Amino acid sequence: MAVIRKREKPEKSKSKKTKKSKSEMTQINKNEITGINKKTIEDINVSGKRVIVRVDFNVPMGANHQIMDDSRIRAALPTINYLIEHDAKVILMSHLGRPKGIVNLEFSLEPVALHLSNLLGKAVFFSRDCVGEEPKKLIANMKMGDVLLLENLRFYSMEEKNDAIFASQLASLADLYVNDAFGTAHRAHASTEGIAHYLPAVSGFLLEKELKGIGTALQNPDHPFVAIIGGAKVSDKIGVIENLLKIADKLLIGGGMANTFLAAQGHDMQKSLVESERLEWAKEMLSWDIAKEKLLLPSDLVVASNMDSPDAAKLVTPEAVPEGFAAFDIGPKTIEAYSEEVKKAKTIVWNGPMGVFEKKGFEKGTIDLAHSIANAEGFSIVGGGDSVAAINLARLASKIDHTSTGGGASLDFLAGKKLPGVEALLNK
Ligand code: ADP
Ligand code: MG
């Protein structure tokens, strides 16, 4: 294995004694939060270089290694094409599924290489190992503008452990590192974080688009800023709620998580999904002045005895959930009130469906609100696997300003957490 010198950590700019204005100071802090100040592939010279790119090719696979949805592969094309056009050797790496650190060809990326080759209209080489002699030889034989995909990184347990030796082995294949995998940017793995300590590291176009898309809302939102948070459980999104409550002007709560808040207000939610271990947190949150001012909860609910009997569904207020019933959607008054807020907003962030939208009879809250968001004038951002699925179901994707590709990463980002895969990149 080649020994590579660890890249020196960039020296922190020494604080000069010149005082900065308050607005400049906040600007700097906010840049730190969002990573908007990171270098991209356009800020470095890639021509004639071996460029290793972390992409997110973790696509859903059906039987016989059939790719069920190639949107993640397509999302990486702008970066790949840029590198091809600028005469780099393009070395792609990704994980697929959860092979748990052992070679399991069920999770091989080879079908992805074939699919990518069709999308690019050119050959894509494939290395059956992501480190070691095989990729080294293949890369040595590549011409500038050629593309190679490495086998699944997670065939090695060292990937998720962010093992330094494994990271340096990956780094030894290239001259430059590009991270274009927003979906894993919230994880400090060898291919997302570790490798950036051994090579000049910049972001690709997809990562940059995500950082700008969500970062704009967090850094410098136009007001009113309205956030809509839903989904099954409040426990998945506590950080997001706490952070958005600080920076948004209104926080609209729907979906299963609304039930925990309504229960915290003292309503008997019957069989609704209520997280009893979060009741205290919800009670405390509701007591905050900022919540009284900003937080909106459903005023009516669609309830049923189970989610497979929409015909027997009833419309009730939170204080009147019938015995043995559960809330599966928000009602028309809530949809109207939430849509009014969305209409007035200049910035809209939506994460999490308003109800069990996969089931007939409980999709109205989610789909109607999706339409309100799509038709609103404000800058709209939608994140989260199920929320994006709802947008696609309603064929509204083209009317959303930024649709995020990363579930966990967008949640961490919205929660105000630093993303290790972004932090590791060079600053502008
Ligand atoms: P996202 O993927 O957009 O972040 P989540 O994964 O948090 O969203 O939540 C989506 C899930 O929440 C969906 O499967 C939906 O059926 C479920 N859900 C929404 N409302 C309710 C509810 N009232 N009761 C139970 N589950 C709900
Ligand atoms: Mg989900």
Side-chain angles (χ1 to χ4, degrees):
M1 188 193 70
V3 179
I4 308 168
R5 272 196 51 212
K6 209 167 165 161
R7 176 159 62 81
E8 304 280 321
K9 280 214 170 129
E11 230 181 281
K12 281 209 179 111
S13 58
K14 302 208 174 69
S15 58
K16 300 250 168 64
K17 284 213 173 100
T18 46
K19 265 196 181 165
K20 291 197 166 76
S21 73
K22 201 179 168 208
S23 65
E24 257 183 292
M25 300 271 281
T26 24
Q27 196 65 34
I28 288 165
N29 290 339
K30 282 172 174 174
N31 273 343
E32 276 175 11
I33 295 168
T34 60
I36 267 174
N37 58 333
K38 294 296 178 183
K39 279 196 177 168
T40 78
I41 41 175
E42 288 182 306
D43 296 318
I44 53 164
N45 178 20
V46 299
S47 299
K49 303 272 170 60
R50 297 170 300 165
V51 182
I52 191 162
V53 190
R54 177 55 155 104
V55 285
D56 180 4
F57 285 171
N58 183 28
V59 290
M61 286 281 191
N64 300 322
H65 299 278
Q66 200 191 342
I67 296 165
M68 307 305 285
D69 178 356
D70 69 352
S71 15
R72 285 182 171 164
I73 305 174
R74 288 175 188 274
L77 292 179
T79 294
I80 298 170
N81 279 321
Y82 177 91
L83 292 170
I84 294 171
E85 282 157 22
H86 287 75
D87 289 323
K89 288 188 182 181
V90 190
I91 306 152
L92 305 171
M93 58 176 172
S94 177
H95 76 284
L96 176 70
R98 296 177 180 276
K100 300 195 174 141
I102 50 164
V103 178
N104 178 348
L105 293 182
E106 202 185 308
F107 299 104
S108 174
L109 277 165
E110 197 163 4
V112 176
L114 196 68
H115 191 81
L116 177 63
S117 163
N118 291 333
L119 291 177
L120 291 172
K122 67 179 281 160
V124 172
F125 300 100
F126 183 71
S127 172
R128 286 164 304 165
D129 202 344
C130 62
V131 288
E133 286 312 307
E134 183 173 343
K136 269 193 191 148
K137 272 191 203 144
L138 286 167
I139 293 163
N141 290 327
M142 280 166 81
K143 292 194 288 294
M144 295 303 159
D146 279 352
V147 180
L148 168 78
L149 176 62
L150 304 176
E151 183 54 290
N152 198 338
L153 294 158
R154 292 195 190 166
F155 284 178
Y156 290 86
S157 62
M158 295 178 288
E159 158 65 358
E160 288 185 82
K161 289 181 186 145
N162 197 6
D163 181 86
I165 293 174
F166 185 66
S168 75
Q169 282 179 312
L170 290 169
S172 74
L173 302 174
D175 307 304
L176 299 172
Y177 167 69
V178 175
N179 189 352
D180 210 22
F182 179 70
T184 44
H186 61 313
R187 303 272 181 236
H189 293 167
S191 68
T192 62
E193 203 276 340
I195 189 172
H197 298 288
Y198 298 94
L199 291 174
V202 298
S203 79
F205 292 126
L206 175 63
L207 183 59
E208 185 194 17
K209 196 169 126 222
E210 291 278 7
L211 296 176
K212 278 195 181 150
I214 304 180
T216 310
L218 298 179
Q219 182 182 23
N220 210 358
D222 279 339
H223 294 274
F225 174 6
V226 172
I228 307 119
I229 305 295
K233 295 192 304 190
V234 72
S235 50
D236 294 337
K237 298 179 182 176
I238 288 200
V240 177
I241 294 171
E242 289 183 353
N243 193 42
L244 289 179
L245 201 54
K246 278 186 246 157
I247 56 183
D249 301 298
K250 284 277 186 262
L251 187 58
L252 320 177
I253 304 278
M257 69 160 67
N259 299 322
T260 299
F261 283 103
L262 294 169
Q265 283 183 331
H267 302 301
D268 184 349
M269 298 309 290
Q270 295 289 336
K271 290 208 167 139
S272 306
L273 180 65
V274 171
E275 286 173 90
S276 51
E277 69 283 14
R278 296 292 172 198
L279 274 176
E280 279 313 307
W281 170 85
K283 266 184 206 162
E284 198 197 318
M285 164 125 301
L286 290 171
S287 73
W288 294 358
D289 286 346
I290 196 173
K292 285 178 190 142
E293 180 195 330
K294 297 180 176 182
L295 198 103
L296 264 68
L297 290 172
S299 59
D300 57 351
L301 300 161
V302 178
V303 297
S305 54
N306 69 72
M307 57 175 89
D308 292 312
S309 53
D311 293 342
K314 293 182 179 168
L315 185 64
V316 298
T317 57
E319 37 288 300
V321 180
E323 203 183 323
F325 277 58
F328 293 123
D329 198 8
I330 55 173
K333 275 198 188 128
T334 309
I335 297 174
E336 201 187 320
Y338 286 9
S339 295
E340 274 309 306
E341 296 295 341
V342 166
K343 220 185 266 176
K344 287 186 277 183
K346 294 241 165 64
T347 308
I348 305 151
V349 167
W350 179 33
N351 171 280
M354 296 290 100
V356 185
F357 74 105
E358 307 94 323
K359 293 277 184 185
K360 211 176 149 281
F362 306 116
E363 74 280 50
K364 197 173 175 357
T366 302
I367 300 300
D368 282 8
L369 206 70
H371 279 277
S372 305
I373 294 167
N375 293 330
E377 278 174 25
F379 186 86
S380 51
I381 298 152
V382 178
D386 292 289
S387 321
V388 174
I391 287 288
N392 289 331
L393 188 73
R395 298 183 184 280
L396 293 170
S398 64
K399 296 177 87 179
I400 302 297
D401 293 298
H402 181 72
T403 308
S404 181
T405 54
S410 50
L411 282 185
D412 276 7
F413 202 4
L414 290 173
K417 290 188 197 155
K418 292 194 171 183
L419 307 179
V422 175
E423 291 304 308
L425 305 177
L426 292 171
N427 288 327
K428 280 209 180 181

